[in-house]
Amino acid sequence: MEFFEAHYPYYASIKARDEDEAVQLYVMYIADDEDGTLREEMKEVERDYALVMYTKAMSLEHNRISVEYILNDFRDDEPSVLLIDCSLA
């Protein structure tokens, strides 16, 4: 799995097999690509960076969360949206 981030029009952290799948997940769950710039906005990030960002966000939201729970999200082979812009929640 690879990890991707987009900041416009809304922030998202996505785990996907490739950039095409990340764009599809973004359009499916976050926002459409009306102006056609999403592919330019979608950037691959290091796994460790994505893990730290996810851990930080989950810790803020759920005071205590197990390391096992967090690592399971990163170890499985299911594409998913890990984080979204707080204005969408």
Side-chain angles (χ1 to χ4, degrees):
M1 282 289 147
E2 298 176 13
F3 297 87
F4 298 88
E5 228 179 32
H7 292 272
Y8 179 83
Y10 299 102
Y11 174 80
S13 175
I14 299 172
K15 176 176 65 168
R17 290 178 187 88
D18 55 35
E19 184 179 31
D20 290 335
E21 187 171 52
V23 168
Q24 289 174 349
L25 288 169
Y26 188 95
V27 169
M28 185 181 305
Y29 294 106
I30 311 299
D32 57 12
D33 188 20
E34 288 180 8
D35 60 3
T37 61
L38 182 56
R39 188 163 300 282
E40 295 169 16
E41 182 63 32
M42 191 69 62
K43 303 294 183 206
E44 187 172 357
V45 296
E46 293 292 325
R47 178 189 179 277
D48 291 346
Y49 170 82
L51 179 59
V52 167
M53 295 299 286
Y54 184 68
T55 301
K56 190 172 161 182
M58 294 302 284
S59 295
L60 288 173
E61 185 176 330
H62 302 286
N63 293 335
R64 291 186 194 183
I65 190 162
S66 74
V67 171
E68 181 181 357
Y69 177 88
I70 290 171
L71 290 176
N72 283 337
D73 280 348
F74 279 78
R75 289 182 179 147
D76 72 20
D77 288 334
E78 291 299 315
S80 63
V81 176
L82 298 171
L83 299 172
I84 61 169
D85 193 298
C86 64
S87 65
L88 298 173

